[in-house]
């Protein structure tokens, strides 16, 4: 389905107006050479550009003036607000007939902080758990122009994808629903939040048997604030720079009304092997020079569960291997920490102290993991020992092979219905045919066992269950003597 809205021409400014900066001759619209709008080659200068199309993505949001010259530009966004991203694609002369008719682009919000790159999936799983039903990134389809088949994959909360025609104007409106402080240990406000990277990867759709061909990738650095927080932060930054002396202002970048995406490495596709692909977060920053080691990542949850199968033991065995430890973590709902504890055996995990686990997993999950590792068997609220009477007519009723031996009955709800069900199972009698349940009191009197009587029974008492056959209606009476 094609989502296309006709907009007046005045809503699309000329390319030079997309980059409003200081009134400098070097940055004026007339002298700004934009490579993606170049219509003719400069004379006597051989072209070194690749023959493919040229892409440019522009986010219609102002950059911060409080960023130093050697750092990457930073843009502030408001949570849930729709921001326009204009997408351009131009081909050299003679390539117009050879260019792809439709392109596919994938937009993602990823972490920029190297510290969070090692726990990327853990952070996203935690956000999913705390915000059920919400997404990190969404497309505002009614405002967008030129999008074909926009999709928001349910399994990827931080990614959206769509097709678009490079020969037509394409305007994408995005909404980011997570704020930067949601991924910091202490939420003190937007200024202490972590930066994100907004990245766009563009592909040429391949044939049925061939994967898509990667054409271009670019990204920009963003921080997301609560509604209207970005505007206040941008105003604060401007006032801060205006108070600086003139020689100090030269150390900071000049703010622009629009943010131009910077070319970066493409987002790696998921590996088909048992281990997940290398996180692309280390590849997105133009200042990054080191890659994350694939050995730091553990096997994915489906692989572990499918390979080992079955339900692990309730208690972690000290001799458990790495894979068995991973399975135990998944089974007890600690899958988000499998990457962090990728190389831990059962012995390694059991040696960790309570404080160690809190530092690794945080206060809530650290305490829960500590208690699970050292969990004691749950003590039932009431334990009774019951044997069936073995002599007389009652023995012919059930013919239970366990008659004469005391068996344990554990009660948690302390109700008469729970006790009746446990006795019916023990004596091999249908529960719906046991009409009355009595307890023999002082002097041989029969006391009807109500919930209150059950709650006042002494723990670890022992009884002999006498089964009495009754008629009209047919059934049984049970007497605990």
């Amino acid at each position: 389905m094609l989502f296309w809205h006709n907009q007046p021409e005045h809503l699309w400014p000329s390319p030079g107006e997309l980059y409003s900066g200081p009134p400098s001759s070097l940055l004026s619209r007339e002298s700004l050479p934009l490579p993606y709008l170049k219509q003719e080659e400069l004379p006597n200068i051989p072209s070194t550009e690749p023959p493919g199309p040229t892409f440019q993505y522009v986010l219609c949001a102002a950059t911060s003036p409080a960023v130093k010259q050697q750092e990457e530009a930073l843009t502030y966004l408001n949570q849930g607000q729709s921001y326009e991203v204009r997408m351009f694609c131009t081909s050299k002369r003679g390539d117009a007939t050879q260019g792809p008719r439709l392109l596919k682009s994938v937009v993602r919000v990823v972490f920029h902080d190297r510290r969070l790159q090692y726990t990327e999936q853990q952070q996203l799983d935690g956000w999913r758990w705390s915000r059920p039903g919400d997404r990190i990134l969404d497309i505002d389809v009614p405002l967008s122009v030129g999008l074909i088949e926009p999709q928001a994959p349910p399994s990827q909360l931080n990614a959206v994808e769509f097709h678009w025609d490079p020969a037509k104007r394409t305007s994408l409106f995005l909404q980011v629903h997570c704020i930067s402080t949601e991924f910091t240990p202490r939420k003190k406000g937007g200024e202490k939040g972590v930066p994100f990277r907004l990245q766009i990867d563009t592909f040429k759709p391949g044939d049925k048997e061939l994967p898509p061909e990667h054409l271009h990738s670019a990204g920009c650095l963003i921080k997301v604030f609560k509604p209207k927080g970005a505007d206040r932060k941008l105003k604060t930054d401007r006032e801060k720079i205006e108070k600086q002396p003139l020689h100090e202002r030269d150390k900071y970048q000049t703010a622009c009304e629009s943010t131009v995406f910077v070319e970066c490495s493409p987002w790696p596709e998921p590996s088909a092997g048992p281990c997940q692909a290398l996180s692309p977060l280390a590849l997105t920053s133009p200042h990054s020079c080191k890659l994350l080691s694939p050995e730091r990542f553990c096997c994915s949850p489906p692989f572990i569960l499918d390979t080992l199968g079955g339900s692990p033991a309730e208690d972690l065995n000290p001799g458990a291997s790495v894979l068995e430890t991973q399975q135990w973590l998944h089974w007890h709902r600690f899958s988000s920490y499998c990457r962090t504890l990728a190389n831990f055996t059962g012995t390694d995990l059991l040696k960790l102290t309570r404080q160690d686990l809190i530092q690794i997993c945080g206060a809530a999950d650290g305490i829960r993991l500590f208690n699970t590792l050292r969990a004691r068997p749950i003590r039932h609220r009431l334990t009774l020992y019951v044997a069936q009477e073995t002599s007389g007519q009652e023995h012919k009723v059930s013919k239970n092979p366990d008659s004469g031996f005391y068996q344990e009955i554990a009660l948690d709800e302390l109700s008469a219905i729970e006790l009746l069900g446990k006795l019916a199972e023990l004596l091999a009698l249908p529960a719906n045919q046991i009409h009355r349940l009595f307890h023999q009191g002082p002097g041989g009197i029969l006391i009807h066992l109500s919930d209150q009587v059950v709650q006042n029974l002494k723990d670890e008492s022992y009884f002999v269950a006498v089964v009495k056959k009754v008629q009209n209606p047919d059934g049984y009476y049970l007497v605990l003597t």
Side-chain angles (χ1 to χ4, degrees):
M1 180 181 296
L2 173 63
F3 295 90
W4 183 267
H5 303 267
N6 293 324
Q7 294 188 354
E9 290 294 328
H10 69 273
L11 295 181
W12 286 86
S14 61
E17 294 174 347
L18 293 174
Y19 313 93
S20 59
S24 169
S25 60
L26 295 177
L27 297 177
S28 62
R29 187 174 63 183
E30 291 77 6
S31 60
L32 180 63
L34 299 177
Y36 65 95
L37 295 173
K38 182 170 54 178
Q39 301 295 329
E40 59 182 1
E41 297 294 337
L42 296 177
N44 302 326
I45 300 180
S47 175
T48 58
E49 296 182 0
T54 305
F55 295 88
Q56 193 80 29
Y57 314 125
V58 180
L59 172 63
C60 295
T63 61
S64 170
V67 179
K68 293 187 176 181
Q69 293 286 354
Q70 66 272 18
E71 298 177 356
E72 186 177 0
L74 178 62
T75 304
Y76 301 139
L77 303 182
N78 288 317
Q79 179 189 23
Q81 181 175 330
S82 297
Y83 288 91
E84 182 182 10
V85 178
R86 297 176 180 176
M87 308 182 67
F88 302 92
C89 174
T90 58
S91 301
K92 290 188 175 183
R93 291 183 300 175
D95 292 342
T97 59
Q98 302 177 4
R101 178 60 180 172
L102 289 180
L103 300 176
K104 177 183 177 181
S105 290
V106 181
V107 186
R108 294 180 176 90
V109 173
V110 295
F111 290 117
H112 177 75
D113 192 344
R114 182 65 61 86
R115 176 180 56 85
L116 294 173
Q117 294 173 6
Y118 292 98
T119 58
E120 170 195 354
Q121 192 59 44
Q122 170 189 337
Q123 299 289 341
L124 296 180
D125 290 343
W127 192 90
R128 185 199 303 266
W129 180 83
S130 63
R131 303 269 299 272
D134 292 346
R135 290 187 55 82
I136 292 178
L137 184 64
D138 260 330
I139 300 179
D140 193 341
V141 176
L143 293 180
S144 300
V145 175
L147 304 191
I148 303 173
E149 298 179 356
Q151 297 179 3
S155 60
Q156 302 182 46
L157 303 181
N158 61 329
V160 294
E161 58 185 48
F162 56 92
H163 292 79
W164 57 292
D165 189 344
K168 298 180 180 179
R169 287 175 173 173
T170 303
S171 178
L172 168 69
F173 280 80
L174 294 174
Q175 296 176 344
V176 183
H177 298 288
C178 66
I179 58 178
S180 296
T181 53
E182 290 186 271
F183 300 97
T184 54
R186 298 180 181 178
K187 301 180 174 121
K188 295 184 178 179
E191 294 185 1
K192 301 297 182 180
V194 299
F196 301 121
R197 178 164 294 278
L198 182 63
Q199 177 166 334
I200 300 179
D201 300 292
T202 299
F203 304 87
K204 176 182 177 182
D207 298 333
K208 295 181 179 180
E209 299 180 356
L210 298 177
E213 176 188 353
H214 176 261
L215 298 177
H216 184 261
S217 294
C220 67
L221 203 59
I222 63 173
K223 265 192 177 183
V224 185
F225 295 76
K226 291 183 179 180
K228 298 184 179 180
D231 304 322
R232 292 192 294 267
K233 176 60 175 170
L234 192 61
K235 180 181 178 181
T236 302
D237 286 355
R238 288 172 178 168
E239 293 175 351
K240 173 184 175 182
I241 297 301
E242 289 175 357
K243 294 179 182 179
Q244 297 284 342
L246 292 178
H247 67 278
E248 290 291 336
R249 296 184 190 181
D250 296 337
K251 298 180 181 180
Y252 295 90
Q253 299 181 17
T254 303
C256 299
E257 294 299 325
S258 299
T259 305
V260 181
F261 284 56
V262 179
E263 188 171 354
C264 63
S265 301
W267 181 277
E269 293 298 325
S271 173
C275 292
Q276 293 186 350
L278 175 64
S279 171
L281 298 169
L283 308 177
T284 55
S285 173
H287 307 290
S288 300
C289 58
K290 296 182 180 179
L291 301 180
L292 302 183
S293 174
E295 289 78 12
R296 294 296 301 272
F297 296 95
C298 68
C299 298
S300 60
F303 170 75
I304 295 178
L305 297 179
D306 294 342
T307 303
L308 299 179
S311 300
E314 183 69 22
D315 297 330
L316 180 62
N317 189 341
S321 64
V322 172
L323 285 180
E324 290 172 341
T325 304
Q326 293 290 309
Q327 185 192 24
W328 186 89
L329 290 170
H330 280 288
W331 184 258
H332 291 83
R333 296 175 288 111
F334 293 103
S335 56
S336 57
Y337 301 102
C338 281
R339 291 187 178 184
T340 307
L341 305 172
N343 298 321
F344 280 68
T345 63
T347 302
D348 298 332
L349 204 55
L350 289 169
K351 287 182 178 179
L352 295 178
T353 64
R354 185 174 185 269
Q355 191 61 32
D356 293 337
L357 293 173
I358 290 177
Q359 291 180 356
I360 294 174
C361 307
D365 283 337
I367 294 174
R368 186 168 70 89
L369 179 54
F370 178 81
N371 293 336
T372 306
L373 287 170
R374 290 155 179 80
R376 296 178 180 178
I378 299 176
R379 181 176 177 83
H380 299 285
R381 299 178 65 185
L382 179 63
T383 301
L384 304 177
Y385 302 99
V386 179
Q388 184 179 357
E389 190 178 38
T390 57
S391 61
Q393 180 68 21
E394 290 79 5
H395 175 63
K396 299 180 181 179
V397 176
S398 62
K399 296 182 180 180
N400 192 330
D402 295 328
S403 299
F405 299 94
Y406 284 91
Q407 299 187 52
E408 179 182 303
I409 292 181
L411 301 180
D412 296 316
E413 300 177 3
L414 299 185
S415 65
I417 295 178
E418 181 187 19
L419 177 58
L420 189 146
K422 295 291 183 69
L423 288 172
E425 182 181 357
L426 176 65
L427 302 174
L429 295 176
N432 58 351
Q433 294 186 17
I434 301 177
H435 302 311
R436 292 292 181 88
L437 183 60
F438 297 99
H439 170 46
Q440 188 174 12
I445 64 173
L446 297 182
I447 303 173
H448 177 65
L449 271 175
S450 62
D451 292 346
Q452 184 177 1
V453 176
V454 173
Q455 293 169 8
N456 289 321
L457 291 176
K458 186 179 179 180
D459 191 26
E460 295 189 346
S461 300
Y462 56 92
F463 302 93
V464 175
V466 180
V467 181
K468 295 183 178 295
K469 179 71 175 178
V470 297
Q471 295 180 351
N472 195 22
D474 291 339
Y476 306 97
Y477 285 175
L478 292 184
V479 181
L480 297 181
T481 61

